[in-house]
Amino acid sequence: MLVTFNSDRDEVTMFGDVAVTLLKMAGHSGTVPSALLAADIPAALARLRQALANAGPDKPAAKSDPDKDADERPVGLRLRAHPLMALLSAAAEQKSDVMWNEGAH
């Protein structure tokens, strides 16, 4: 499943499991589809930043795949969170609501 986040000017699509995890870290239920009102975005963004800071270092993959390059590393949750955090930051500045739905639009 993919989840697409939309504000007045921005759109971000990410894997559903990552999106739900980040939404829960931001204090939301993780329901898809749903929305955040503009007035609630600064607090949600602050909770998300704090949760990511408290999460500790991103853990490497549990099992190494011998077919992959040795230099290839898994993408951690902090890095995956950046596009959503940028969208939320922009929406907070623009006083715009953010909505999300299943699938890429």
Side-chain angles (χ1 to χ4, degrees):
M1 165 177 77
L2 295 175
V3 175
T4 300
F5 293 86
N6 293 287
S7 68
D8 286 345
R9 295 186 187 163
D10 296 315
E11 181 176 290
V12 170
T13 300
M14 59 180 44
F15 292 115
D17 58 337
V18 174
V20 169
T21 298
L22 294 174
L23 287 168
K24 289 180 178 181
M25 292 174 95
H28 191 273
S29 67
T31 303
V32 178
S34 194
L36 280 172
L37 297 175
D40 298 329
I41 291 173
L45 186 57
R47 283 190 297 270
L48 177 58
R49 285 184 175 135
Q50 187 62 49
L52 287 168
N54 292 341
D58 285 333
K59 295 180 178 151
K63 187 175 176 184
S64 181
D65 185 348
D67 294 333
K68 287 187 178 181
D69 289 336
D71 294 335
E72 196 174 315
R73 294 196 170 99
V75 178
L77 189 59
R78 280 192 187 89
L79 187 57
R80 290 182 190 270
H82 281 277
L84 178 59
M85 290 172 48
L87 181 139
L88 292 173
S89 294
E93 288 175 14
Q94 300 162 4
K95 298 188 183 348
S96 172
D97 299 335
V98 172
M99 296 172 281
W100 55 92
N101 289 298
E102 187 175 332
H105 299 177

